[in-house]
Each structure stands twice: as structure tokens, then as C-alpha cells.
Amino acid sequence: MPIQICDYTLCTACSACVNICPQQCVEMQAGELGHLYPYINKDKCVECNACMKVCPNNSPVVLKQPITAFAGWHTVDVEYQSSTSGGAATAFAQTIISEGGVVYGCACLDKIDIRHIRVDNFQDLNKLKGSKYVQSTMSENFKSVKSDLKAGLKVLFIGTPCQIAGLKSFLHGQPDNLYLVDLICHGVPSVKLLQEHVKNVLGHQKVTNISFRSDSYLLLLLLCGDKILYKSNLMQRYEDEYYNAFIDGYSYRESCYRCPYAQSKRVSDVTIGDFWGLGDDFGIEHPHGCSCILPITEKGLNLIKRSDMILYERTVGEAVQGNDQLRAPKAKDKKINRFRKLYPILGLKYAYRITVARELLFKLRCRLMLGTRLRKIIKFGKRE
Ligand SMILES: Cc1cc2nc3c(=O)[nH]c(=O)nc-3n(C[C@H](O)[C@H](O)[C@H](O)COP(=O)(O)OP(=O)(O)OC[C@H]3O[C@@H](n4cnc5c(N)ncnc54)[C@H](O)[C@@H]3O)c2cc1C
């Protein structure tokens, strides 16, 4: 049965409750739109309330304004090109590994299993590279972070702001050897939804890797080894159900629509994202994207400065102006509500297509009209 650890609509699946439970009786199960929610095994529960006490929704963590803002990218071209924005996450991770520490971040494992993993070497950092536009499963990583910290290791944890809040709550604060980097985040679909989409477009073909971005372009690539099995393109608007539902905010977890971290005050040492809306005065080419880097603490600023990044100082106001999620969470509208009502009955493909039926019809009419015109031009040209 679902438990009232916190208000169901606020639960972010940070998994602090799973990690803290002394009886190991809290487990995550799929709920609305395939999102994970904590369920408790009442037979094993000793009613210690540790899960309720650790939940960041019950005792919110302190948020702080950024010190300043940087636009920037990795100094090494190959790292810059293979990262999502400017490769800030990769640069910070390399710094911590080179200092003998470990890094926790999100990887895409076999069978489209998107989850946080622990990395302790340069080569495996490649697994973390790239945004996975889906909620990363946390499992028992917080316990592992705790034991690394206890062993005196430097630990860098990279994740969404709600995951950072969960970890801070679980640790009752932040020891000196823990570095926290959060992503600007506009919301997460569930892994189950992504798996459903992959099955819809590829049947049972084996997928070994997924990519969600190419430079600044939003596209979904499904690969088996180096072979591209499927490629969506957002230029083909409304045609890839998963990506478009994500971009338009139809498929987020319920808590994303009331996210307390979608604002300029932040939860970590450094916030990173895309530097959308850089002013015209910037004038420096950045063909493979640009990171927005917001140091929140002195410790974060120090991590930025000792990492391999080309940096340009900008203002926090400019960063906030260009990025909706540094101001407020995504607001629900009629279409979002419609999709969420249709999904349990029809599944992703048809729930999405019905939700955007008008837009799809309009596209079809444009194509037909264009086709007729082209045919006329060709005919006319032939007659002449
Ligand atoms: C779901 C989601 C929504 C986002 N929304 C926005 C937005 O609205 N505006 C914006 O400016 N930026 C957004 N971002 C952040 C942006 O896409 C880049 O991830 C960020 O700029 C880091 O890029 P990079 O080049 O520094 O990272 P890279 O060097 O490419 O490394 C990517 C890092 O992101 C982490 N990561 C990847 N996927 C996930 C995930 N699902 N959950 C937790 N951590 C993950 C990895 O651990 C890795 O450390 C979002 C990211 C995600 C995952």
C-alpha cells in the first residue's frame, strides 16, 4: 500500500526514505505514468518514522542565491563536443577523480535502465556524459555515498535538485568532502514511459545506448553499438511521442509541476544548465553549446576554478532571465491534463496523438496543400 511519507503529489522519488529505513521495508513501485513512489511493507515496518523524518518535503533544506554566473565550456575540444551543454559536469567530475575522489551521476545501463552509478576512474566518466531526459533511479546510492564519505573520500554527486535535497536530508547536512552539483531541470518523465516508447518504435530490437541531444539539437537516438536504430528530430514536431511529450511537459512526475527548487535560490554548491538567452554582447562562438554555471557556495566556486573550463563571467540576472526553470516550475495546462487522463487508458502513442490531434491535422493539411502545389508546379513546368 502507498504510505503517507509525504503528500503524494510532492514526492520526488529522491529515495531518502528507501535509504534510511532500518528494516529495509520501503520500496519503490510504479505509480502514475510509470513514476516511482515509495511503498511500505507493513509486515516489516516497526513504525520508527525515520522515513517521514528524512523526507525533504517534511523538513525543507535551505536554498541559497548564486554568488555569480559563468558562461563556459570544457577546455578540451573532444570533451566539449561529446557533452550536452558545455561539459561542465564532465570537467567537475574529472577534477574530483584526479584528486582521488569518486563521482555519482546518471548512466544509461543495459535494457534502458537509467540510474545513478558510482564512478572512480576517468574511463567510466563517459557513462555519465550527456543528459538523459528521464528520471534517474536512485536505489541505494545514498548509503554508498555515506560510506565513501566516512572512508574520507572526496565525493561529487551530480543530479537533479530534488535528488540533491534528498541526499542532504539523508546525511543531515553536508560534510566538507562532499561536493554537490545540481542541474537546472524542467521535469522528468519515467523510465517506464521511455521503455514503452522504445518498444513502440523498435519492437523487441536490442538497444544498447540512448542519446537525447546532439550539440544544442534535441533529438532522440536509439543505438545498438554504433548502429543507429532510430532517430527522431524535433524539427518533425509532434512526431516523436516521447520527446514531444517531454518538451511540452506532458509526462513529468506530479511533483515537477510544483517543484520548490525551480527558482533562482539553489540547493547545491554549483548549479549547471544550458546558458539560454546569452546577451548579444557575448559575441563568442560556441558551436557545441554553452554551459550556464552558477556557483552557490565558495566551495562550489573553488571547484569551478580548479576545473578545465573556459569561463566568461556574466550576471545571475541574465541566466535567470533566459531559463524559465530558474524562475518557476512548469505550469499545468489543459493539454497536459488531457494527456494525463488519456495515458492510463490508451498508452503513450495514442494518448499523445489524441492530445495533439489538432496540430497533427494542421500539419497533414499543410503537407497535402504543399504536395498539390508542387504537383501543379511540376505539371506546369512540363507543359512549358
Ligand atoms: C531531466 C533533465 C531536464 C533538464 N532541463 C533543463 C532545463 O530546463 N534548462 C537547462 O538549462 N538545463 C536543463 N537540463 C540540464 C542540461 O540538459 C545538461 O544536463 C546540463 O547543462 C549539464 O550539461 P553538461 O554538458 O555540463 O553535462 P555533461 O558533461 O554532458 O554530463 C551530464 C551530467 O548530467 C547528469 N545527468 C544526466 N541525466 C541525468 C538525469 N536524468 N538525472 C540526473 N542527472 C543526470 C550526469 O550524471 C552527468 O553528470 C536538464 C537535464 C535533465 C537531465
Side-chain angles (χ1 to χ4, degrees), residues 67-68 70 269-270 295-306:
I67 299 170
T68 183
F70 296 103
D269 293 309
V270 184
I296 315 302
T297 62
E298 286 299 329
K299 187 170 158 183
L301 186 60
N302 204 280
L303 173 65
I304 296 167
K305 287 189 173 164
R306 57 182 206 271

Side-chain angles (χ1 to χ4, degrees), residues 66-264:
I67 299 170
T68 183
F70 296 103
W73 44 88
H74 205 294
T75 49
V76 180
D77 222 40
V78 60
E79 303 289 5
Y80 172 35
Q81 287 187 32
S82 56
S83 302
T84 305
S85 308
T90 300
F92 303 153
Q94 288 168 336
T95 301
I96 296 296
I97 296 281
S98 69
E99 292 170 358
V102 295
V103 178
Y104 288 80
C106 169
C108 176
L109 306 182
D110 226 15
K111 297 189 180 147
I112 315 163
D113 183 12
I114 314 285
R115 59 175 55 248
H116 262 59
I117 60 164
R118 176 185 187 271
V119 172
D120 62 5
N121 63 79
F122 284 105
Q123 199 177 335
D124 284 346
L125 280 183
N126 283 327
K127 295 181 184 166
L128 308 186
K129 247 186 216 164
S131 298
K132 292 89 185 171
Y133 290 135
V134 59
Q135 183 158 41
S136 177
T137 307
M138 194 48 65
S139 299
E140 301 204 338
N141 274 293
F142 290 177
K143 281 191 208 169
S144 172
V145 169
K146 192 174 179 178
S147 69
D148 280 336
L149 290 169
K150 224 172 159 186
L153 285 174
K154 230 177 231 181
V155 175
L156 168 64
F157 185 96
I158 306 170
T160 55
C162 52
Q163 290 168 338
I164 302 283
L167 177 60
K168 274 175 119 171
S169 249
F170 172 77
L171 295 170
H172 300 294
Q174 185 182 349
D176 285 347
N177 51 340
L178 175 63
Y179 291 77
L180 298 170
V181 172
D182 75 308
L183 306 173
I184 302 172
C185 175
H186 58 235
V188 283
S190 69
V191 174
K192 191 166 168 263
L193 204 74
L194 178 63
Q195 289 168 342
E196 180 183 338
H197 184 57
V198 173
K199 200 168 164 208
N200 285 347
V201 296
L202 287 179
H204 291 287
Q205 283 188 71
K206 192 177 175 201
V207 173
T208 54
N209 204 3
I210 303 186
S211 169
F212 294 80
R213 287 263 293 256
S214 173
D215 294 339
S216 299
Y217 298 104
L218 299 164
L219 54 85
L220 182 65
L221 269 184
L222 304 177
L223 302 126
C224 184
D226 289 336
K227 192 176 162 204
I228 297 175
L229 303 176
Y230 172 83
K231 182 177 178 179
S232 82
N233 189 336
L234 260 209
M235 298 306 281
Q236 294 160 344
R237 193 75 171 100
Y238 308 115
E239 285 173 28
D240 181 279
E241 293 88 7
Y242 179 84
Y243 221 136
N244 284 284
F246 165 67
I247 292 296
D248 292 330
Y250 296 172
S251 51
Y252 300 163
R253 314 180 51 91
E254 192 58 43
S255 57
C256 299
Y257 302 102
R258 36 186 96 189
C259 175
Y261 313 107
Q263 57 157 307
S264 59

Side-chain angles (χ1 to χ4, degrees), residues 8 10 20 23 30 33-35 50 104 139 146 167 193 217 225 232 242 249 257 277 333 343-344 352-353 359 366 373:
Y8 181 86
L10 297 178
I20 201 92
Q23 298 297 106
L33 272 93
H35 287 290
Y104 288 80
S139 299
K146 192 174 179 178
L167 177 60
L193 204 74
Y217 298 104
S232 82
Y242 179 84
Y257 302 102
D333 60 21
Y343 176 78
Y352 181 76
R353 286 188 183 178
E359 289 82 352
C366 290
R373 283 247 165 98

Side-chain angles (χ1 to χ4, degrees), residues 252-351:
Y252 300 163
R253 314 180 51 91
E254 192 58 43
S255 57
C256 299
Y257 302 102
R258 36 186 96 189
C259 175
Y261 313 107
Q263 57 157 307
S264 59
K265 284 188 181 173
R266 311 299 300 173
V267 67
S268 64
D269 293 309
V270 184
T271 293
I272 54 173
D274 293 291
F275 213 130
W276 305 123
L278 267 170
D280 291 340
D281 65 305
F282 187 61
I284 298 156
E285 291 280 303
H286 47 279
H288 307 293
C290 182
S291 286
C292 171
I293 306 157
L294 304 173
I296 315 302
T297 62
E298 286 299 329
K299 187 170 158 183
L301 186 60
N302 204 280
L303 173 65
I304 296 167
K305 287 189 173 164
R306 57 182 206 271
S307 297
D308 288 336
M309 293 288 294
I310 297 166
L311 297 170
Y312 300 91
E313 190 157 8
R314 308 295 293 178
T315 65
V316 175
E318 185 183 29
V320 173
Q321 187 57 35
N323 212 315
D324 291 351
Q325 271 55 55
L326 289 175
R327 296 195 302 275
K330 172 86 183 165
K332 266 192 183 171
D333 60 21
K334 262 190 195 164
K335 280 199 178 150
I336 294 178
N337 287 328
R338 192 182 310 152
F339 173 80
R340 299 172 82 84
K341 274 193 191 133
L342 290 172
Y343 176 78
I345 310 161
L346 300 173
L348 173 64
K349 188 168 168 182
Y350 295 106

